[in-house]
Amino acid sequence: MKTKEAIIQKIENGTLVTPKGFQAGGMHTGLRYAKKDLGMLVSLVPAECAAVYTQNHVQAAPLTVTRESLSKEQKLQAIVVNSAIANACTGEKGMKDAYDMRKLTASRLDIPDHFVAVASTGVIGEYLDMEKIKKGIEEVSFARSKKGAEGFEEAILTTDTFTKRSCYELTIDDQKVTIAGAAKGSGMIHPNMATMLAFITTDANVPATVLQQMLKEVTDVTFNQITVDGDTSTNDMVLVMANGEAKHQPIDEHHPDVGLFKEGLRKVCEDLAKQIARDGEGATRLVEVSVQGASSRADARVIAKNIVGSSLVKTAIYGSDANWGRIVGAIGSSEADVNPNEMEVYIGPHLMFKDGLPQSFSEEEVAEYLKQEEIRISVVMHLGNEEGKAWGCDLTYDYVKINASYRT
Amino acid sequence: MKTKEAIIQKIENGTLVTPKGFQAGGMHTGLRYAKKDLGMLVSLVPAECAAVYTQNHVQAAPLTVTRESLSKEQKLQAIVVNSAIANACTGEKGMKDAYDMRKLTASRLDIPDHFVAVASTGVIGEYLDMEKIKKGIEEVSFARSKKGAEGFEEAILTTDTFTKRSCYELTIDDQKVTIAGAAKGSGMIHPNMATMLAFITTDANVPATVLQQMLKEVTDVTFNQITVDGDTSTNDMVLVMANGEAKHQPIDEHHPDVGLFKEGLRKVCEDLAKQIARDGEGATRLVEVSVQGASSRADARVIAKNIVGSSLVKTAIYGSDANWGRIVGAIGSSEADVNPNEMEVYIGPHLMFKDGLPQSFSEEEVAEYLKQEEIRISVVMHLGNEEGKAWGCDLTYDYVKINASYRT
């Protein structure tokens, strides 16, 4: 019997339109100075849909509109996205603008309003230039092409320095099934979908209720385990569209491959989450923290996230400084069960702390390790059997530079 | 009848030894390269004592020793402090070193071991050089003098750029009572006593149990409401010594001036807390956030602290950027009750957000305001009558610089 690893194949050049029945595109409407700023993602047939939204109490207008769309049938056929302006804290006019974006998109595609989701990202508290948005929605071209997918990927970016994508293939009921995603987000990334957008397409046949449950579980171990600066945003969401074009039996709770599909979805989400962390504002390194032997899964996750979110750990990594004491401090500062005398702390392969005591290590070797682009910190708690991971980046001069002058 | 403000007088040049019966001193023993690194604070008679410690699960050896000292009689006569090395994560040898610091101090002063508290601050995971510590404890001179107090204030610093002190005077039972304090701490400052030391002396006569309850309440609205970088430390504590030399009636729960004394203690703690925030690593500005009209005091405090702790708000202040949307985002990201359509957000005197809508303002005027050394952000929630404050600083290039190379 093949392992899941062997059955789920990564498609290196796959995009949002690799799954059957999807088209995408992006264009420059003038909201941003020169870069693409409006994207459209379309499914040829109505797709089952799942969504996760920011947990910030202040939520932007497009989230309200998207929630309303999904509340009707939990199906979507199109997603329209703009960057530059978040359309958050914009009151009734902002709501009208978001509804207008939805209506314009539905009209162009000749589909019901509630088959359209709306997403925005950018500065809070400014109004959309609806002339530009209208022109964009009417004129943007979309296709099942690499160019179309790349256009969409570019149009959703703000301070991101590269586009983010992932694609995996697997087989269900002898049919090839593809899952793909695109995402944006580099600052304000923390628990709970912070200024992060991710759009996932699949030609699998998955009922919306099953898809929603899977997305929630997968988000908890992927997107909700990345942090750039601890801030959470008003605009974030993850949307999955499953259009069933792969023509296998519906993947409900009883389908033998429900776990396989969920693992594929997790891989796509983890890939995107890691790309977002790597592209944290000003970041020079991706940091992966792995916690094992915790007394609960929640503990493992919170410890991992505390370490990767610590400003002192992040600056030490930027400085290639083997300051493991800050890692221990971050572990202890969580609410999780911790016994300092039991735990082991590793930077890469180097054991730094064990039995409550510093371990001898070569400063040069660890400093050399910390100069790599991917840093791994591992903690073994010796309190149980649960594990968790989190991802983040270093904290650099450029983070300060980017954020001291974002609006100006 | 005079107000508390009128009765509690600030003593501009007051120090830890302004209250009767205290002596202090500090010296350079060689733990640090050139600066003072060992301090001693002595009361001529045993003083009633209260203490608050870090809530980090990983606690340094000196905290264990100090707790043990207080557990006997809740009295202290001396505090010995070193900087440079935190004596945290140092196992049994670290415990022995902390006990030795206590014993050496007790021997020199000819007092019981349990009348001595021990504090350390600096790098985690390194052992104390006990030769230097021993020499320091035996040789440090202390006196009731400005020079002695300043020596102590300097000896407790690490990355701090200035010494921190506060002193107030009030009258109880016709006797002059003085409360004074010294503190350190610039990085790793967050809830719960993070790498922060504060020592408070008073000649008031306050039973330890009353003093302890007061200190807890006062700490919650002062030291626990400052944040520099969200990290918490292994070593922090606040110690209060009340030696009773002012010779008034004991301030128990029934004394008419119990509230007056507590207000004096709060003023000393708030002064020290603000000085610590102002001296945040790399900081160029003190930020005070005031939240009014919250539905509970806990909500008011958590909202204030969320704003002042947001990396995005902190960098915007550094860049003098009127990015009020980040303030709104920070308010919404807490667990507190929030209604975006009810709240008002001010930067200094400038109204930025009301009725769920951006308000018009002059970018130039707000940018000018944000260039001041003290920035005030105010939020009115319109959900109740509770209020809270928090203090912090901006996030700058220098924060990254200082912390990327702390050990090296």
Side-chain angles (χ1 to χ4, degrees):
Chain A
M1 189 181 154
K2 286 187 184 171
T3 64
K4 281 181 192 166
E5 290 297 325
I7 296 173
I8 303 175
Q9 298 281 334
K10 190 172 175 76
I11 309 295
E12 284 300 339
N13 295 313
T15 69
L16 280 178
V17 298
T18 305
K20 290 182 203 129
F22 288 98
Q23 298 183 330
M27 72 175 281
H28 171 68
T29 70
L31 294 174
R32 302 185 76 192
Y33 182 67
K35 293 180 178 167
K36 291 194 176 69
D37 48 30
L38 187 129
M40 188 152 339
L41 177 61
V42 178
S43 171
L44 298 184
V45 297
E48 297 289 301
C49 187
V52 181
Y53 307 94
T54 183
Q55 289 176 25
N56 198 301
H57 288 288
V58 181
Q59 300 206 347
L63 275 75
T64 306
V65 172
T66 297
R67 273 181 213 273
E68 197 200 280
S69 286
L70 288 183
S71 69
K72 291 268 170 67
E73 297 186 59
Q74 233 179 320
K75 286 194 174 122
L76 280 184
Q77 209 168 339
I79 301 173
V80 60
V81 192
N82 75 275
S83 55
I85 304 285
N87 194 11
C89 300
T90 44
E92 285 175 28
K93 173 160 163 47
M95 282 303 302
K96 180 173 184 311
D97 290 347
Y99 276 117
D100 284 352
M101 280 180 77
R102 183 172 79 161
K103 181 170 283 302
L104 288 163
T105 306
S107 298
R108 169 156 180 204
L109 300 173
D110 197 20
I111 56 177
D113 280 12
H114 70 272
F115 279 6
V116 178
V118 182
S120 301
T121 175
V123 176
I124 294 175
E126 295 185 9
Y127 296 117
L128 290 170
D129 180 334
M130 286 304 290
E131 284 303 308
K132 289 174 180 160
I133 294 276
K134 182 164 185 281
K135 190 167 139 62
I137 292 174
E138 283 166 359
E139 293 182 7
V140 63
S141 62
F142 46 89
R144 192 177 184 213
S145 67
K146 184 155 181 279
K147 184 159 170 277
E150 286 175 353
F152 181 86
E153 289 167 358
E154 287 164 23
I156 65 177
L157 305 184
T158 56
T159 53
D160 304 63
T161 64
F162 55 82
T163 57
K164 292 152 189 84
R165 66 171 68 155
S166 176
C167 185
Y168 285 86
E169 192 181 283
L170 47 106
T171 301
I172 290 177
D173 299 340
D174 290 329
Q175 300 297 320
K176 190 173 85 175
V177 166
T178 312
I179 313 173
K184 71 81 49 181
S186 60
M188 250 194 177
I189 302 300
H190 199 56
N192 318 327
M193 309 287 97
T195 302
M196 196 203 79
L197 298 175
F199 306 106
I200 294 163
T201 56
T202 177
D203 45 22
N205 180 351
V206 193
T209 48
V210 177
L211 197 61
Q212 181 65 38
Q213 179 59 30
M214 278 183 188
L215 179 63
K216 202 203 156 306
E217 289 174 26
V218 164
T219 299
D220 279 346
V221 295
T222 57
F223 295 118
N224 283 347
Q225 286 296 106
I226 56 175
T227 182
V228 167
D229 58 16
D231 279 276
T232 62
S233 142
T234 52
N235 280 60
D236 303 321
M237 59 175 124
V238 178
L239 289 173
V240 186
M241 288 198 283
N243 68 8
E245 292 291 289
K247 307 292 182 195
H248 54 81
Q249 291 299 309
I251 304 179
D252 59 17
E253 300 87 335
H254 311 295
H255 193 289
D257 287 331
V258 63
L260 182 68
F261 179 81
K262 184 176 159 192
E263 176 62 11
L265 182 64
R266 194 195 62 76
K267 280 180 181 289
V268 169
C269 292
E270 183 177 310
D271 270 12
L272 294 174
K274 285 165 75 168
Q275 289 173 60
I276 290 168
R278 184 192 298 276
D279 197 19
E281 285 173 342
T284 65
R285 292 175 181 81
L286 172 68
V287 182
E288 177 173 287
V289 176
S290 163
V291 174
Q292 294 177 298
S295 37
S296 74
R297 247 188 293 183
D299 274 11
R301 288 179 199 163
V302 80
I303 292 167
K305 206 156 169 186
N306 256 36
I307 296 169
V308 89
S310 156
S311 293
L312 291 170
V313 172
K314 289 156 65 79
T315 44
I317 288 171
Y318 176 54
S320 297
D321 179 6
N323 199 326
W324 59 268
R326 294 182 179 172
I327 300 172
V328 173
I331 296 168
S333 70
S334 76
E335 302 282 305
D337 283 354
V338 171
N339 182 340
N341 296 318
E342 291 293 334
M343 70 197 189
E344 294 163 42
V345 175
Y346 297 82
I347 295 179
H350 306 281
L351 178 63
M352 312 301 288
F353 184 71
K354 191 185 174 180
D355 299 332
L357 288 171
Q359 303 295 302
S360 70
F361 64 93
S362 153
E363 288 274 358
E364 293 70 32
E365 282 179 26
V366 182
E368 201 54 43
Y369 175 80
L370 287 170
K371 289 192 179 111
Q372 297 185 146
E373 282 192 7
E374 294 198 12
I375 306 299
R376 181 186 284 263
I377 295 170
S378 317
V379 179
V380 188
M381 301 299 294
H382 290 297
L383 296 173
N385 295 310
E386 300 298 340
E387 53 190 47
K389 281 187 183 176
W391 299 272
C393 58
D394 53 348
L395 174 58
T396 70
Y397 295 115
D398 279 352
Y399 175 82
V400 178
K401 186 173 174 185
I402 291 165
N403 284 300
S405 57
Y406 182 62
R407 282 170 67 255
T408 47
Chain B
M1 190 183 156
K2 285 187 186 174
T3 63
K4 279 179 192 167
E5 290 298 325
I7 297 174
I8 304 175
Q9 298 281 335
K10 189 170 176 75
I11 309 295
E12 285 301 339
N13 295 312
T15 69
L16 280 178
V17 298
T18 305
K20 291 181 202 131
F22 288 97
Q23 298 182 330
M27 73 176 280
H28 171 69
T29 70
L31 294 174
R32 302 185 77 190
Y33 181 68
K35 293 181 177 167
K36 291 194 176 67
D37 49 28
L38 187 129
M40 186 145 354
L41 175 61
V42 179
S43 171
L44 299 184
V45 297
E48 297 289 300
C49 187
V52 181
Y53 307 94
T54 184
Q55 289 177 23
N56 198 300
H57 287 289
V58 180
Q59 302 206 347
L63 275 74
T64 306
V65 173
T66 297
R67 273 181 214 274
E68 196 200 279
S69 286
L70 288 185
S71 68
K72 292 269 170 67
E73 297 186 60
Q74 232 178 319
K75 285 193 176 127
L76 280 184
Q77 209 168 341
I79 301 173
V80 61
V81 192
N82 75 276
S83 55
I85 304 285
N87 194 12
C89 299
T90 44
E92 284 175 29
K93 173 160 163 46
M95 282 303 303
K96 180 174 184 313
D97 290 347
Y99 277 117
D100 284 353
M101 279 180 77
R102 184 172 80 162
K103 181 171 283 301
L104 288 162
T105 305
S107 299
R108 169 154 180 205
L109 300 174
D110 197 20
I111 56 177
D113 280 11
H114 71 271
F115 278 7
V116 178
V118 181
S120 301
T121 175
V123 177
I124 294 175
E126 295 184 10
Y127 296 117
L128 290 169
D129 180 335
M130 287 304 290
E131 285 303 308
K132 290 175 180 159
I133 294 276
K134 182 164 186 284
K135 190 169 138 63
I137 292 173
E138 284 165 357
E139 293 183 7
V140 62
S141 62
F142 46 91
R144 193 179 181 211
S145 66
K146 185 157 181 276
K147 184 159 172 277
E150 285 174 353
F152 180 85
E153 289 167 0
E154 287 163 24
I156 65 178
L157 305 184
T158 55
T159 53
D160 304 62
T161 64
F162 54 82
T163 57
K164 293 154 188 82
R165 67 170 70 154
S166 176
C167 185
Y168 285 86
E169 192 182 283
L170 47 107
T171 302
I172 290 177
D173 300 340
D174 290 329
Q175 300 297 321
K176 190 174 82 175
V177 167
T178 312
I179 312 172
K184 71 81 49 182
S186 61
M188 250 192 177
I189 301 301
H190 200 57
N192 316 327
M193 308 287 95
T195 303
M196 196 205 77
L197 298 175
F199 305 105
I200 294 163
T201 56
T202 178
D203 44 23
N205 179 352
V206 192
T209 50
V210 177
L211 196 62
Q212 181 65 39
Q213 179 60 30
M214 277 183 190
L215 179 63
K216 202 204 156 304
E217 290 174 25
V218 164
T219 299
D220 279 345
V221 295
T222 57
F223 295 119
N224 283 347
Q225 285 296 106
I226 56 176
T227 181
V228 168
D229 58 15
D231 278 276
T232 62
S233 142
T234 51
N235 280 61
D236 303 320
M237 59 175 125
V238 177
L239 289 173
V240 186
M241 288 199 283
N243 69 7
E245 293 291 290
K247 306 293 182 195
H248 54 80
Q249 292 298 309
I251 303 180
D252 60 17
E253 301 86 334
H254 310 296
H255 193 290
D257 287 330
V258 62
L260 182 70
F261 179 80
K262 185 177 158 192
E263 176 62 12
L265 182 63
R266 193 196 63 75
K267 279 179 181 290
V268 169
C269 292
E270 182 177 310
D271 271 12
L272 294 174
K274 285 165 76 168
Q275 290 172 60
I276 290 168
R278 185 192 297 276
D279 197 19
E281 284 172 343
T284 65
R285 291 176 183 81
L286 172 67
V287 183
E288 176 173 288
V289 177
S290 163
V291 174
Q292 294 176 298
S295 38
S296 74
R297 247 187 294 186
D299 275 10
R301 288 178 197 163
V302 80
I303 292 168
K305 206 157 170 186
N306 256 36
I307 296 170
V308 89
S310 156
S311 293
L312 290 171
V313 171
K314 289 154 65 81
T315 45
I317 289 171
Y318 176 53
S320 297
D321 179 5
N323 200 326
W324 59 268
R326 294 181 178 172
I327 300 172
V328 173
I331 295 168
S333 70
S334 76
E335 302 282 305
D337 283 353
V338 172
N339 182 342
N341 296 318
E342 292 293 333
M343 70 198 188
E344 293 163 44
V345 175
Y346 297 82
I347 296 179
H350 306 281
L351 178 62
M352 312 301 288
F353 183 71
K354 191 184 175 181
D355 299 330
L357 288 172
Q359 303 295 303
S360 70
F361 64 92
S362 152
E363 287 276 357
E364 293 70 32
E365 282 178 26
V366 182
E368 201 53 43
Y369 175 81
L370 287 170
K371 288 190 181 114
Q372 297 185 145
E373 281 193 8
E374 294 199 12
I375 307 297
R376 180 187 283 262
I377 294 171
S378 316
V379 179
V380 187
M381 302 299 293
H382 290 297
L383 296 173
N385 295 311
E386 299 298 340
E387 53 190 47
K389 281 188 182 177
W391 299 272
C393 58
D394 53 348
L395 173 58
T396 70
Y397 295 115
D398 279 352
Y399 175 84
V400 177
K401 185 172 173 185
I402 291 165
N403 283 300
S405 57
Y406 183 63
R407 281 171 67 255
T408 46

